[in-house]
Amino acid sequence: MFPALETEIKPETLSDPYEDFMHHHLQYYGYFKGPTCLPSTGHAQIDAVGKDPLMLSSPLLRSRQLLYDELDEVNPRLREPRELFSFFSSRGPLQAPKWPIECEVIKENIHHIEWVPPEPEYFYQPTGDEKEPEIVGEEQGTVVYQLDSVPTEGAYFTSSRIGGKRGIIKELAVTLQGPEDNTLLFESRFESGNLQKAVRVGAYEYELTLRTDLYTDKHTQWFYFRVQNTRKEVTYRFTIVNLLKPKSLYAVGMKPLMYSQLDATTYNVGWRREGREIKYYKNSADDGQQPLFCLTWTVQFPHDQDTCFFAHFYPYTYTDLQCYLLSIANNPIQSQFCKPRALCRSLAGNTVYLLTITNPSRTPQEAAAKKAVVLSARVHPGESNGSWIMRGFLDFILSNSPDAQLLRDIFVFKVIPMLNPDGVIVGNYRCSLAGRDLNRHYKTVLKDSFPCIWYTKNMIKRLLEEREVLLYCDFHGHSRKNNIFLYGCNSNSRKHWLHERVFPLMLSKNAPDKFSFDSCNFKVQKCKEGTGRVVMWRMGVINSYTIESTFGGSTLGSKRDTHFTVEDLKSLGYHVCDTILDFCDPDQTKYTQCLQELKELLQQEIHKKFSNFGQDVDLEASWSDIPLSDIESSTSGSDSSLSDGLPAHLLNIANELNQKMLLKKTKKKRLQTRKQRNEQYQKNYLMRELKLAEDTPTQLSGRNKGTSLEPPLTSLVLPKNKETVQSKKPGFTASCSPKRSTNSGLGPAPDVKANWPRTRYPAPRKERSAVAAVYPSLHIYTYP
C-alpha cells in the first residue's frame, strides 16, 4: 500500500487473503492507488505509518474517513458507513416522510402539545336515550369534503416521494359564502390523518366516512382529522358511518379525543376527552357486502373560528419519533449508551430505526455475559398507545436513575420504536403499504414485500446466536377491552411450566390500577402462528409477549372508570423496567412467591372448569398433568384471516396466473381412449397438410400412369366401426404409388373426377368431405 514499506517487506512472505481481498476491493472503488496487497507481517509498519503525518498526506491515500483518537493521532481505518449509521445531524433537517405517489399532502406542519388533564376523565355513562341517526348520505346531503386521490380497489403500491402526489394540492373544502356561513371546513391530508368524506346533512350535523387502509377495502377504526370555522355554544353532531367492528369500547363509555388550537396557544391545554350522546350501533344501510357500524356523538366547541382536531387516540407520528431520536443523538450523555441505527428501509423508503441501549463494558467477557431484551411497537400503525408506552420506557431507561443504570449494566436492549412507519404516515389502522397485517407475516421469506418484519426477525435470530434473549415484548392497542394486559405462549416443557406467567403477574403487582392479569391469555392459536410473539417463542425466547393497551381506560383500583392519559401509558413503560429488575433479582423470593401463587390460581381455575362440567378432579394429585391449553379459552384478538396472504401486488399476479391456468385447463382436455387419440391425430395431420397446400399452390398437368386414383381406406377416414378400419380384402390398395413425376402435385388432375362411394368413406364433418375430394391420395398412419 505504501512504497516506503516495500523494501522492508520480505518478498517470500505470503500475504493475508483477507488483506489482499480488501486492498483489491478498495483499489477498485478508488480509495488507493498503491500496490494491491500487503503481507500480514507488515502490520507493525502500518502502525508506524499511521503515526507519520508525511505518509498520511501522501497522494496515494485518497480516503477521507480516517479516525482520530483522543490525542488527535490518526488511526488508519475507515469510519462506519454513513448511510447506515450517521443519519442525524444537528445542523440539518430531519428526513421528510415519504408518501405513496397517489396521496395528496398539505404543506402545513401539524404539531400538538403534551398535556395531562388535572382531573380524571371519566367514562361516558349512557342514559339509554341516545339517538341513532338514520344515515342520509350524499343523495340528500351536501358533500363538503372528499378525497379523490385514494387508490382504487385492486391497486397496489408502486413508488413514493417526499410530499406524495405531484402537482398543485387541490382545495377540497367547500368555499365559504361569507362570514355568516357556518359550514365546517374539514382536512385530513397530513401525517397520520384519516378521513375520506364528510357530508353535511343538517345545519350542524355531519356524516363522516373513514378511508380504509391503503390498497385494501378493510380496517376502518383509526380516525384523525381537522375542522375549522367553528361556532361556540352550538351543539354539533358527528356520525362515522363505516366502522367494521361489531363491538367497540365506545359502547361502554369511551369518548373521542378533541384538541383546540386556541386552547393550546392560550391556556396550554392539549388533547382532552369530549363528547355526549355517544352511541355505537349497526348501520341500517345494507350494501350487500360486510355489515357496517356507526359511531355518533355530539360536542360543543370552546371558541368561535377555532381550529380543532378529533382523533381515536392520542396521535404519535413518524415525525414525532424522529424529533425524539434527534434529541437523544444531540444529548452528549444519552448518545454514549444509546446508538440509533437504521434497521432497514420500508417499502416507501422510510427508515426503520433500531436503538441499541447498554452501558459500555469494561471487558469482552462482561459484554458477552449480558442478556438481551427486545422491545418493539407500532407494527399496527393505528395503535398509537404502543408508541406512548415505548416513549415512557425510553424516558426511563435513558435517565440517570440508579435502576436505569443497573439495567444498562446487565442488559443489552434492542428497541424498534416504530415497525411500520409507512402505515403511520398515511394513517392506516392495521396494514402496511403491502396491504397486509405485518403481525401475521413474521414467518415470511418475502424480504422485499415485508422488509420491516424480515429484518427484525433476522436481527433477533443473530442476537440469539450471540447471547440469551430474556424478554421479547411487542406493544399494541386494543379496541374492545379496557385495562392493559398481555398475550403469551404456554410452555409444554415441565421444566418451565408456568414460568412464562411470572413476568405478567409481577407486572400486575407493580401496576395494579392499570394492568389486569385476569385478562391475560397464553393460548397459542393456529391463526396466530405468524405473530411476533409466537415466532419468537418458537425461536427460543421463553418470555415472549404481546402487551395490549386499551384505547379506553381502567376498571381497576384508584383509576376505575377513567380514561388513560399519555402519562398513564408512559408510566407503564417505567413499570416494565421495574418488573425486569424484579424478574432478574438474584434474590428469588418474589419469583418463588409468584410461582406459588400461579399454581394456586391454576388449581382454582381447573376446579372451576371441571365443576361447570359436573366432574370431580383430584387437585392434590393429577392437576399438574392437565394441559394448560385445555383450560384457557381462545384469545379475543383480531381475526388474522382479514389481512393474511400475499401482498397486494403479488396477489394480483397470482390471480392472473390462476385465471390463465384455468382457461388453459378448460381448453385442453385429455384424450382418454386410443380411438380418440387416433381421431385427433388424423385431424391435426389433415389440417397441417391443408395449410401447406394453400401456402404453396401448384398447377398439375396430369399424373403418371402408375399413380392410382383410388385412395387407401385409411386415408381421410375417421373410422366408426371395425369394418371401416384398413380392409384386408384381396386387391385392396393400402397406399399410393411411392413414385410421382416431378410436375405432379397434391391435387387431382383437372379432367379427372373422383367418384368414390360415400358409404365407404364416412365424413361426419364438412371439412373432411371437402379435403377428401381435393386430396384423395394422402396417406395417414394410425397409432397401433
Side-chain angles (χ1 to χ4, degrees):
M1 187 187 302
F2 305 102
L5 298 178
E6 293 181 358
T7 57
E8 301 181 16
I9 300 174
K10 297 181 180 179
E12 63 272 9
T13 304
L14 297 177
S15 61
D16 181 18
Y18 177 76
E19 293 286 341
D20 186 49
F21 165 77
M22 288 304 299
H23 293 141
H24 277 290
H25 178 75
L26 294 173
Q27 187 184 44
Y28 176 81
Y29 284 102
Y31 282 106
F32 298 104
K33 289 186 177 180
T36 60
C37 63
L38 186 66
S40 58
T41 56
H43 289 182
Q45 288 89 339
I46 292 180
D47 295 337
V49 172
K51 299 179 181 179
D52 187 354
L54 295 177
M55 187 59 66
L56 289 172
S57 61
S58 171
L60 296 175
L61 184 62
R62 295 185 55 193
S63 173
R64 297 181 180 179
Q65 299 192 33
L66 294 178
L67 296 180
Y68 291 81
D69 59 19
E70 298 177 355
L71 300 177
D72 291 334
E73 295 181 351
V74 178
N75 185 2
R77 61 186 178 90
L78 296 179
R79 296 180 185 272
E80 295 172 332
R82 298 173 183 173
E83 175 66 15
L84 293 178
F85 299 98
S86 181
F87 41 74
F88 286 120
S89 173
S90 58
R91 296 183 299 273
L94 293 173
Q95 295 181 2
K98 293 183 179 180
W99 296 69
I101 57 174
E102 301 96 334
C103 298
E104 289 185 344
V105 186
I106 62 174
K107 304 302 181 183
E108 301 176 50
N109 293 323
I110 307 297
H111 175 70
H112 305 298
I113 64 172
E114 292 186 28
W115 176 73
V116 180
E119 299 294 333
E121 296 178 309
Y122 287 93
F123 293 157
Y124 173 72
Q125 300 299 324
T127 62
D129 298 329
E130 290 80 10
K131 297 181 180 179
E132 295 184 3
E134 184 180 354
I135 305 306
V136 175
E138 56 185 278
E139 292 79 9
Q140 303 179 29
T142 303
V143 178
V144 295
Y145 177 81
Q146 184 170 8
L147 293 180
D148 58 357
S149 60
V150 176
T152 58
E153 184 177 356
Y156 52 87
F157 172 76
T158 55
S159 60
S160 63
R161 65 184 296 269
I162 295 175
K165 191 175 183 179
R166 297 180 184 273
I168 300 176
I169 302 299
K170 299 178 182 178
E171 292 292 338
L172 299 185
V174 296
T175 302
L176 298 178
Q177 302 302 317
E180 301 300 325
D181 191 344
N182 57 8
T183 303
L184 289 180
L185 305 179
F186 290 82
E187 184 59 83
S188 67
R189 294 172 297 173
F190 47 81
E191 196 173 348
S192 295
N194 188 317
L195 180 66
Q196 171 74 38
K197 182 171 62 174
V199 179
R200 188 180 188 184
V201 296
Y204 301 102
E205 295 186 22
Y206 295 86
E207 291 179 359
L208 310 177
T209 301
L210 303 183
R211 193 209 70 225
T212 60
D213 283 5
L214 287 187
Y215 313 112
T216 76
D217 58 353
K218 297 179 284 291
H219 309 301
T220 51
Q221 181 75 29
W222 169 261
F223 61 87
Y224 177 30
F225 58 90
R226 184 183 73 186
V227 293
Q228 293 177 307
N229 194 37
T230 62
R231 299 290 188 270
K232 69 176 182 178
E233 298 179 356
V234 174
T235 301
Y236 289 81
R237 177 177 291 275
F238 298 98
T239 304
I240 299 176
V241 300
N242 67 329
L243 297 170
L244 291 177
K245 292 189 176 183
K247 296 181 180 180
S248 174
L249 288 171
Y250 289 110
V252 292
M254 176 177 161
K255 296 182 180 180
L257 281 162
M258 191 188 77
Y259 183 95
S260 167
Q261 198 74 51
L262 286 177
D263 278 347
T265 56
T266 306
Y267 306 108
N268 201 32
V269 174
W271 288 100
R272 59 182 183 264
R273 300 281 179 172
E274 291 287 350
R276 301 190 63 81
E277 300 183 47
I278 301 172
K279 183 74 174 181
Y280 194 87
Y281 61 100
K282 187 175 181 180
N283 191 334
S284 58
D286 187 6
D287 59 355
Q289 299 178 355
Q290 52 190 346
L292 300 177
F293 298 86
C294 300
L295 168 65
T296 185
W297 74 94
T298 61
V299 69
Q300 290 188 351
F301 294 110
H303 305 284
D304 286 329
Q305 301 297 330
D306 194 5
T307 297
C308 294
F309 295 82
F310 288 96
H312 180 57
F313 200 73
Y314 299 96
Y316 193 95
T317 65
Y318 183 65
T319 300
D320 292 334
L321 172 66
Q322 290 197 107
C323 291
Y324 183 77
L325 296 182
L326 180 61
S327 67
I328 295 175
N330 291 333
N331 188 307
I333 298 177
Q334 294 179 346
S335 59
Q336 303 242 340
F337 47 78
C338 179
K339 302 296 182 183
R341 298 290 185 263
L343 176 67
C344 65
R345 301 284 181 181
S346 65
L347 283 181
N350 296 297
T351 302
V352 180
Y353 296 104
L354 170 66
L355 310 181
T356 302
I357 303 172
T358 188
N359 282 338
S361 302
R362 290 168 290 185
T363 63
Q365 293 77 13
E366 181 182 334
K370 290 184 177 181
K371 295 181 180 181
V373 173
V374 180
L375 304 175
S376 61
R378 297 301 285 277
V379 67
H380 293 154
E383 298 171 359
S384 58
N385 30 14
S387 283
W388 290 107
I389 298 175
M390 181 67 76
R391 172 74 175 273
F393 166 81
L394 291 174
D395 285 345
F396 178 77
I397 200 66
L398 298 177
S399 68
N400 58 359
S401 165
D403 285 347
Q405 296 180 21
L406 178 60
L407 285 169
R408 296 195 301 266
D409 285 336
I410 60 179
F411 290 107
V412 176
F413 292 91
K414 294 287 185 178
V415 180
I416 308 172
M418 193 169 285
L419 270 168
N420 189 355
D422 294 347
V424 174
I425 290 169
V426 302
N428 279 2
Y429 174 62
R430 197 167 187 87
C431 296
S432 70
L433 294 185
R436 292 293 178 265
D437 182 350
L438 293 182
N439 201 36
R440 299 296 184 269
H441 289 84
Y442 273 89
K443 298 170 67 175
T444 186
V445 296
L446 301 177
K447 179 174 68 172
D448 295 335
S449 298
F450 307 106
C452 313
I453 296 305
W454 191 91
Y455 280 99
T456 298
K457 178 184 174 182
N458 279 269
M459 180 272 294
I460 298 176
K461 185 178 179 180
R462 293 194 304 269
L463 190 63
L464 283 167
E465 296 173 354
E466 298 175 1
R467 64 188 76 245
E468 177 187 350
V469 177
L470 176 75
L471 179 70
Y472 168 84
C473 282
D474 191 20
F475 298 135
H476 284 249
H478 206 280
S479 63
R480 290 175 291 172
K481 294 172 66 175
N482 278 310
N483 305 314
I484 301 172
F485 52 95
L486 60 75
Y487 296 135
C489 304
N490 272 329
S491 176
N492 297 325
S493 171
R494 291 299 169 183
K495 178 182 178 182
H496 301 289
W497 193 60
L498 293 180
H499 286 213
E500 70 278 352
R501 304 177 184 225
V502 174
F503 183 85
L505 183 59
M506 286 183 170
L507 186 56
S508 68
K509 294 182 179 297
N510 289 331
D513 56 349
K514 304 180 186 70
F515 192 91
S516 172
F517 181 77
D518 293 336
S519 299
C520 297
N521 198 296
F522 301 86
K523 186 172 184 177
V524 178
Q525 296 174 275
K526 186 176 181 180
C527 63
K528 303 298 177 66
E529 286 288 338
T531 59
R533 67 176 171 96
V534 177
V535 171
M536 303 312 162
W537 175 64
R538 297 201 183 281
M539 288 171 57
V541 183
I542 298 176
N543 302 292
S544 181
Y545 307 110
T546 297
I547 295 185
E548 298 277 355
S549 170
T550 180
F551 287 107
S554 174
T555 61
L556 307 171
S558 60
K559 300 192 70 66
R560 184 180 181 86
D561 295 334
T562 61
H563 289 88
F564 280 154
T565 66
V566 292
E567 285 301 317
D568 292 325
L569 298 178
K570 289 165 70 173
S571 69
L572 185 76
Y574 156 74
H575 289 307
V576 169
C577 296
D578 193 27
T579 305
I580 292 175
L581 285 176
D582 291 339
F583 189 76
C584 300
D585 193 339
D587 183 1
Q588 291 289 293
T589 303
K590 291 183 180 179
Y591 192 98
T592 305
Q593 289 177 353
C594 288
L595 204 57
Q596 182 61 33
E597 185 176 343
L598 286 169
K599 291 179 180 179
E600 295 174 359
L601 290 173
L602 187 59
Q603 285 180 342
Q604 297 173 10
E605 186 67 23
I606 294 173
H607 181 74
K608 181 179 178 181
K609 288 282 184 180
F610 278 88
S611 297
N612 293 337
F613 289 106
Q615 300 177 6
D616 294 329
V617 61
D618 184 6
L619 297 181
E620 298 296 333
S622 60
W623 70 274
S624 61
D625 296 329
I626 301 175
L628 298 180
S629 58
D630 295 342
I631 303 171
E632 287 189 311
S633 59
S634 61
T635 66
S636 60
S638 300
D639 184 4
S640 62
S641 62
L642 293 177
S643 303
D644 206 353
L646 293 172
H649 68 288
L650 294 183
L651 187 63
N652 292 339
I653 297 174
N655 291 337
E656 293 176 2
L657 291 176
N658 290 335
Q659 292 177 0
K660 290 181 180 179
M661 292 298 295
L662 183 61
L663 293 175
K664 187 176 181 181
K665 289 181 179 180
T666 55
K667 288 181 179 179
K668 291 188 177 182
K669 295 183 179 180
R670 182 178 180 182
L671 302 177
Q672 299 296 330
T673 65
R674 181 181 297 177
K675 180 179 178 180
Q676 290 175 330
R677 293 196 299 270
N678 287 342
E679 291 176 352
Q680 186 66 38
Y681 180 82
Q682 292 175 4
K683 178 182 176 181
N684 293 341
Y685 187 88
L686 288 175
M687 296 304 294
R688 288 197 302 268
E689 292 292 342
L690 177 60
K691 185 176 180 180
L692 180 63
E694 290 176 350
D695 293 341
T696 57
T698 307
Q699 184 178 3
L700 301 179
S701 59
R703 291 180 182 272
N704 291 340
K705 294 181 179 180
T707 304
S708 173
L709 294 177
E710 183 178 2
L713 289 179
T714 55
S715 301
L716 312 174
V717 178
L718 299 178
K720 298 292 183 182
N721 50 48
K722 293 183 179 180
E723 287 82 13
T724 59
V725 181
Q726 292 190 357
S727 174
K728 295 186 179 181
K729 295 181 179 181
F732 173 73
T733 305
S735 63
C736 62
S737 173
K739 295 183 180 180
R740 295 175 181 265
S741 61
T742 57
N743 62 351
S744 64
L746 295 175
D751 55 345
V752 178
K753 294 183 179 179
N755 186 15
W756 302 319
R758 293 174 181 253
T759 56
R760 292 183 59 192
Y761 305 99
R765 298 179 65 177
K766 294 181 180 180
E767 292 84 351
R768 289 175 186 148
S769 60
V771 174
V774 180
Y775 304 105
S777 59
L778 293 178
H779 179 75
I780 301 174
Y781 294 98
T782 62
Y783 289 110

